[in-house]
Amino acid sequence: MKSILVTGGCGFIGSNFVRLALRRLPECRLVNLDQLTYAGNPRNLADIEDDPRYRFVHGDICEAELVGRLFAEETIDTIVHFAAESHVDRSIDAPAEFIRTNILGTFTLLEAARKAWLANPGSQLPVPENCRFLHVSTDEVYGSLGNTGFFRETTPYHPRSPYSASKASSDHLVSAYHHTYGMPTLTTNCSNNYGPYHFPEKLIPLIISNALEGKTLPVYGDGKNVRDWLYVEDHCQAILRVLEQGRVGETYNLGGNNEKQNIEVVTTICDLLDQKVGRLPDGHPRTDLIRFVQDRPGHDRRYAIDASKIREELGWLPLVTFEEGIRRTIDWYLGNLEWVAAVRDGSYRDYYEGMCADRLNGG
Ligand code: NAD
Ligand code: DAU
């Protein structure tokens, strides 16, 4: 049985991944180490929390003693590392936590893996051939594109926000551990995700929740910045594919081939909500709620991924078009208004604290 340590499994992509991995890998045991920052919501995994192949551990990836203990206790042979501070705007307001979690946290995990997998090859611990350290990263490490061109795995790094600089730094550490110590690493650099359990500070879930509540819809700058949207389930499938078939030491770019200007995304959401739940109470369309606001400092203009390497080497393709994915996403939010309300009013923080405090330390 494989023993997988997932970090940040209570976040947006991590929770989608945990659910998919338990379904797709019947022979795996999965340990989810999550600090439950504001972005971590254990309710995201309420439907699988009693699965005997799953264990939740409340903790910080920067705590070397805890991480080392988990490696030993669970004989971890695989890491899928999602845990990070992930929101660009927060990194502009308060970068310190991004440096700590994204850089020091990744370093702590790499050190734990090095000690467990590489220092004692003669011990009972798994040998490196069975082990994988999969680092989940972002296309933002490459910087910003003009009107043409795509990010390839060979594109030079040029991060431009504290968030992307911290992710770039973690990518370099992962690469260095492969080259220096032979760590069996895999890195994925992915474009913007969207789908169920997306925290409503990010563009798509923020616009859906505000538009439902009749609140204003903030669009930064001229609204013409472009992102390449990938449905979260396609991203999780790609991670499994890389884990199972990726070449050790390689990086793989993942994208949805769905380039959209922000204003296009926002108007699409408004139009779909008007169709699905009716216009605003005063009869106006939801697009009337759009407000162009001050731009994000250093706002990257365009991201677009060339995903031909993973397509040609591993046969992965995104299956969900933006038109289909955005409908599914809106339907998920409409079907989970309680989840949205609990996140918006902060009561999601009580879920474990109040009801299941005894499980917090992995009991
Ligand atoms: P998220 O913010 O929704 O979730 C992050 C999770 O990490 C939360 O559960 C949080 O509690 C946990 N966490 C934070 N600091 C921690 C720490 N010190 N110790 C343990 N757990 C901690 O993030 P997401 O959007 O799901 O992104 C997951 C990963 O994917 C990140 O590494 C991000 O850089 C990368 N990524 C995200 C996107 C995207 O569009 N969301 C795209 C490409 C790559
Ligand atoms: O490209 C991958 C990255 O995508 C991930 O690495 C990050 O973790 C993830 O947060 C995301 O970063 P972005 O900055 O692209 O996502 P965000 O949803 O914050 O913004 C998307 C675009 O929408 C961006 O151009 C900024 C704009 N925006 C965002 C918000 C929150 C607005 O116009 N208004 C808003 O209120």
Side-chain angles (χ1 to χ4, degrees), residues 7-12 14-15 18 32 34 36 39-42 44-45 54 56:
T7 67
C10 293
F12 163 46
S15 60
V18 166
N32 171 15
D34 197 301
L36 299 183
N41 183 351
N44 294 356
L45 289 171
Y54 172 74
F56 172 62

Side-chain angles (χ1 to χ4, degrees), residues 55 57 63-76 112 361:
R55 175 183 174 197
V57 179
E63 274 184 37
E65 196 273 326
L66 167 67
V67 175
R69 184 155 41 84
L70 276 182
F71 262 79
E73 253 174 48
E74 298 282 352
T75 329
I76 297 296
N361 293 312

Side-chain angles (χ1 to χ4, degrees), residues 93 238 252 289 312 324:
D93 295 343
Y252 293 91
L289 300 169
E312 284 161 18
E324 169 63 18

Side-chain angles (χ1 to χ4, degrees), residues 60-64 67 81 83 96-112 133 166-167 169-170 173 177:
D60 184 348
I61 57 165
C62 300
E63 274 184 37
V67 175
H81 174 33
E97 198 55 23
F98 287 71
I99 305 307
R100 199 188 76 86
T101 285
N102 299 2
I103 305 177
L104 272 178
T106 303
F107 166 71
T108 306
L109 293 167
L110 284 165
E111 273 295 275
F133 188 114
S166 68
K167 292 296 290 187
S169 175
S170 65
L173 279 170
Y177 269 64

Side-chain angles (χ1 to χ4, degrees), residues 50-244:
D50 293 326
D51 189 316
R53 292 187 294 126
Y54 172 74
R55 175 183 174 197
F56 172 62
V57 179
H58 182 214
D60 184 348
I61 57 165
C62 300
E63 274 184 37
E65 196 273 326
L66 167 67
V67 175
R69 184 155 41 84
L70 276 182
F71 262 79
E73 253 174 48
E74 298 282 352
T75 329
I76 297 296
D77 54 36
T78 303
I79 298 190
V80 185
H81 174 33
F82 293 98
E85 287 294 331
S86 68
H87 191 39
V88 174
D89 292 330
R90 285 181 191 254
S91 85
I92 294 166
D93 295 343
E97 198 55 23
F98 287 71
I99 305 307
R100 199 188 76 86
T101 285
N102 299 2
I103 305 177
L104 272 178
T106 303
F107 166 71
T108 306
L109 293 167
L110 284 165
E111 273 295 275
R114 183 168 77 87
K115 286 175 188 151
W117 299 344
L118 306 175
N120 298 303
S123 76
Q124 293 307 303
L125 293 168
V127 293
E129 294 90 84
N130 305 330
C131 299
R132 290 292 180 272
F133 188 114
L134 193 152
H135 175 55
V136 179
S137 193
T138 170
D139 60 356
E140 299 199 8
V141 297
Y142 299 120
S144 182
L145 290 165
N147 290 335
T148 57
F150 295 91
F151 295 137
R152 299 196 167 79
E153 287 80 0
T154 50
T155 302
Y157 273 34
H158 188 203
R160 293 159 27 114
S161 72
Y163 164 69
S164 53
S166 68
K167 292 296 290 187
S169 175
S170 65
D171 291 9
H172 289 318
L173 279 170
V174 169
S175 168
Y177 269 64
H178 173 67
H179 289 286
T180 306
Y181 303 112
M183 177 69 70
T185 60
L186 296 158
T187 297
T188 53
N189 293 91
C190 187
S191 64
N192 287 63
N193 283 217
Y194 68 108
Y197 303 102
H198 205 179
F199 197 85
E201 64 182 350
K202 310 278 168 56
L203 180 71
I204 288 183
L206 177 79
I207 296 299
I208 296 174
S209 339
N210 278 13
L212 276 171
E213 292 173 23
K215 293 186 175 159
T216 57
L217 310 178
V219 174
Y220 299 164
D222 63 4
K224 292 188 177 155
N225 298 65
V226 171
R227 296 294 182 265
D228 172 4
W229 294 97
L230 179 67
Y231 194 64
V232 65
E233 206 177 299
D234 275 330
H235 184 190
C236 295
Q237 295 281 8
I239 290 172
L240 280 180
R241 186 72 58 93
V242 171
L243 200 55
E244 289 170 335

